[in-house]
Amino acid sequence: MLAKLELGDRFEEQDRAALLSLPHQIRTRGANAYILREGDRPLHSCVLLSGFAVRHKVAGNGARQILSLHMKGDLVDLQNTILGIADHNVETLTRVEVAYIPVSAIAALAASHPALGKAMWRETLVEASIFREWILNLGRRNARARAAHFLCEMALRLEMAGLGTRGAFELPLTQEQLGDVLGLTSVHVNRTLKAMRVAGLADCSRKSVAIRDWTGLTAMGDFDDTYLHLNGVNPVGVPVAA
Amino acid sequence: MLAKLELGDRFEEQDRAALLSLPHQIRTRGANAYILREGDRPLHSCVLLSGFAVRHKVAGNGARQILSLHMKGDLVDLQNTILGIADHNVETLTRVEVAYIPVSAIAALAASHPALGKAMWRETLVEASIFREWILNLGRRNARARAAHFLCEMALRLEMAGLGTRGAFELPLTQEQLGDVLGLTSVHVNRTLKAMRVAGLADCSRKSVAIRDWTGLTAMGDFDDTYLHLNGVNPVGVPVAA
DNA sequence: CGACGATTTGAAATCAGTCAAGAGCAGTGG
DNA sequence: CCACTGCTCTTGACTGATTTCAAATCGTCG
């Protein structure tokens, strides 16, 4: 059960047993499938075991905005545990495996095991911190900086999830989807990526990213990883020094 | 002690006693004062008792982005309870009264009173939902829609906080600060507000807002209040029907 | 009154969007 | 094997929204 991944960053006691014994069902979903729709009142929360998914909202004018991108180990809709109604959609980017856990079981677990409740709360807070950085990114950075910043974030998060290195990783996004992340049109994303390629900073294809100049990219993206709150968190698969 | 306001939306038992007995210090701060700076490792969390404050970040190019706006009853930096390091600034807009509560006391309270832990977690989740809506607003709406959407949000939140009606309320923001909220320059904010005034939708001055046409404003701002998760929450000062 | 910050307005420049068309590429089915 | 189809990527020319720069006006407070 990979479920312990999502909380691995905190040194849990034998709360682990409780976590691992949560009732759940594992399902596979294809690419571009909705896991959750805005307005739903879901009875299950879910954890991504493999693959990629995004949260997004659609504005009245039809434009779509991706709110966050999720990978292995992420609790995709923890907020439903408490809020009840979904305020956004969750859609897969690739084929994924998800574990569905009843909302009531999560709420009960949080109440009976304070350390786990705190760890889930922490997850929510880190996610909120990432949202804040995206607000800054969309509100105050131009297209090149936004794109560079996003690539830096993905590089670190994927590295932490054990899904590559910051220099090379898989990222299954079309340029149109990248535009939905960055608040840009696909045409402008294309021009921006070309500029980054020509400048020798990074090379993006539909499936993968190669970062050629990490220092240059962080400078262009005005990137500082404090907001990811990685301190004290160890990459998946890397043993902790005793 | 107004502290119960922040959790009033959930019908707490005699957890209230524990909440009200939290150790705290009440302080007054002037306008434009920093309550928290990015990089701080605060030992106290704080609740706004009166006045207004914003959270903001500054990009490398010097541009400032306001991330959220807070009013009476808001827990301004709950995330520090768990995350330790501040990833943004908190600055007052007006003279404010704040109650400082030791981080350790909040963590202990959450662990010992699950209902309170859940209520604080819920606060965090609602805030994250608002961040998501702002991401959509900044990424996919033009200047007029952004401004209209923001005014609608403020109207409802201030109404819920008992600080006015959706038709008329105080909002102490300069046009430059509004620009920092909306990801626009103050010049463009000025033109946008003028357009809204001329269209008979809303009238903003430095201190207050008068909304002339609620329906028209929500249409222009593509506003739907689901993301505020107000369902089941009652306005401050309005008795709950038995 | 004088000073300072905030608002307002205009003109020019820039960034990103729109529209349109062609090229590349993968999967499908004959 | 190849033509066909659909989706993505790429590019160019043009448009439009927002920024930048600059200057005038307004309001408030000491």
Side-chain angles (χ1 to χ4, degrees):
Chain A
M1 208 9 356
L2 287 169
K4 73 170 184 281
L5 289 182
E6 79 257 18
L7 299 168
D9 42 37
R10 287 272 150 182
F11 328 105
E12 300 304 339
E13 357 263 294
Q14 275 62 23
D15 294 307
R16 290 191 185 196
L19 187 60
L20 293 174
S21 66
L22 274 176
H24 62 275
Q25 269 191 311
I26 296 180
R27 290 281 176 75
T28 299
R29 293 292 163 114
N32 307 312
Y34 275 76
I35 290 179
L36 181 71
R37 283 181 192 276
E38 196 171 342
D40 282 356
R41 293 179 171 277
L43 299 174
H44 297 264
S45 198
C46 62
V47 181
L48 259 186
L49 302 179
S50 68
F52 290 88
V54 295
R55 300 172 177 208
H56 69 87
K57 283 188 156 186
V58 178
N61 57 18
R64 188 172 86 139
Q65 176 67 43
I66 289 177
L67 307 165
S68 60
L69 193 149
H70 295 284
M71 58 196 68
K72 183 176 77 180
D74 285 351
L75 280 150
V76 173
D77 53 355
L78 202 45
Q79 72 281 354
N80 304 308
T81 301
I82 297 200
L83 294 180
I85 189 165
D87 52 61
H88 60 272
N89 307 287
V90 178
E91 189 178 352
T92 63
L93 290 174
T94 61
R95 169 172 290 272
V96 300
E97 280 181 297
V98 285
Y100 287 86
I101 303 170
V103 162
S104 55
I106 292 187
L109 187 73
S112 63
H113 293 72
L116 292 179
K118 183 174 176 183
M120 289 190 287
W121 190 11
R122 181 180 197 281
E123 276 294 300
T124 309
L125 289 166
V126 171
E127 193 172 62
S129 175
I130 295 175
F131 288 143
R132 287 192 289 271
E133 186 70 20
W134 283 38
I135 288 174
L136 174 62
N137 210 29
L138 289 168
R140 291 305 193 192
R141 294 194 183 108
N142 63 21
R144 293 191 320 167
R146 277 184 222 177
H149 190 280
F150 175 69
L151 290 180
C152 291
E153 177 181 317
M154 285 301 111
L156 292 191
R157 286 178 55 197
L158 289 166
E159 191 172 83
M160 294 300 292
L163 294 171
T165 67
R166 69 185 63 181
F169 49 89
E170 310 285 301
L171 191 66
L173 285 173
T174 66
Q175 291 181 358
E176 181 153 17
Q177 289 165 336
L178 248 181
D180 291 342
V181 167
L182 301 174
L184 301 169
T185 59
S186 60
V187 172
H188 204 60
V189 166
N190 183 282
R191 298 195 229 262
T192 305
L193 292 183
K194 182 181 178 184
M196 288 177 39
R197 198 180 319 125
V198 169
L201 292 170
D203 208 332
C204 302
S205 79
R206 175 137 74 97
K207 288 289 169 198
S208 65
V209 177
I211 293 181
R212 311 287 184 206
D213 175 1
W214 176 257
T215 306
L217 198 67
T218 56
M220 170 179 275
D222 184 26
F223 185 80
D224 173 341
D225 68 11
T226 305
Y227 75 98
L228 291 173
H229 295 281
L230 299 175
N231 50 333
V233 181
N234 294 292
V236 170
V238 177
V240 181
Chain B
M1 205 14 351
L2 287 170
K4 74 170 183 281
L5 289 182
E6 79 254 17
L7 299 169
D9 41 37
R10 287 273 151 180
F11 328 105
E12 300 305 340
E13 355 264 295
Q14 276 60 24
D15 293 310
R16 291 192 185 193
L19 187 60
L20 293 174
S21 66
L22 274 175
H24 62 274
Q25 268 192 309
I26 296 181
R27 291 280 175 76
T28 299
R29 294 292 165 112
N32 307 312
Y34 275 77
I35 290 179
L36 182 70
R37 283 181 191 275
E38 196 172 341
D40 282 355
R41 294 180 171 277
L43 299 173
H44 297 264
S45 198
C46 63
V47 181
L48 259 187
L49 303 178
S50 68
F52 289 89
V54 295
R55 300 172 177 208
H56 68 87
K57 282 189 158 188
V58 178
N61 57 18
R64 190 172 85 139
Q65 176 66 44
I66 290 177
L67 307 165
S68 60
L69 193 150
H70 295 283
M71 57 196 66
K72 183 176 76 179
D74 285 351
L75 279 151
V76 174
D77 52 354
L78 202 45
Q79 72 282 355
N80 305 307
T81 301
I82 297 199
L83 294 180
I85 190 166
D87 52 60
H88 60 271
N89 307 287
V90 178
E91 189 177 353
T92 63
L93 289 174
T94 62
R95 169 172 289 271
V96 300
E97 281 181 296
V98 286
Y100 286 87
I101 303 171
V103 161
S104 55
I106 293 188
L109 188 73
S112 63
H113 293 71
L116 292 178
K118 184 174 176 182
M120 288 191 287
W121 190 11
R122 181 179 197 281
E123 276 293 298
T124 309
L125 289 166
V126 171
E127 194 172 61
S129 175
I130 294 174
F131 287 144
R132 287 192 289 271
E133 186 71 20
W134 282 38
I135 288 174
L136 174 61
N137 211 28
L138 289 167
R140 292 305 193 192
R141 294 191 183 110
N142 63 22
R144 291 192 321 168
R146 276 185 223 177
H149 190 281
F150 175 70
L151 290 180
C152 290
E153 176 180 319
M154 286 300 112
L156 291 192
R157 287 177 54 196
L158 288 166
E159 191 172 83
M160 293 302 292
L163 293 172
T165 67
R166 69 185 64 182
F169 49 90
E170 310 286 300
L171 191 66
L173 285 173
T174 66
Q175 291 181 357
E176 181 153 15
Q177 289 165 335
L178 248 180
D180 290 341
V181 167
L182 302 174
L184 301 169
T185 59
S186 61
V187 172
H188 203 59
V189 166
N190 182 281
R191 298 194 229 264
T192 304
L193 292 182
K194 182 181 177 185
M196 289 177 40
R197 198 181 318 125
V198 169
L201 292 170
D203 209 331
C204 302
S205 80
R206 175 137 75 95
K207 289 287 170 200
S208 66
V209 176
I211 293 181
R212 311 286 183 207
D213 174 2
W214 176 257
T215 306
L217 198 67
T218 56
M220 169 179 274
D222 183 26
F223 184 80
D224 173 341
D225 68 10
T226 305
Y227 76 98
L228 292 172
H229 294 281
L230 299 174
N231 51 332
V233 181
N234 294 291
V236 170
V238 177
V240 181

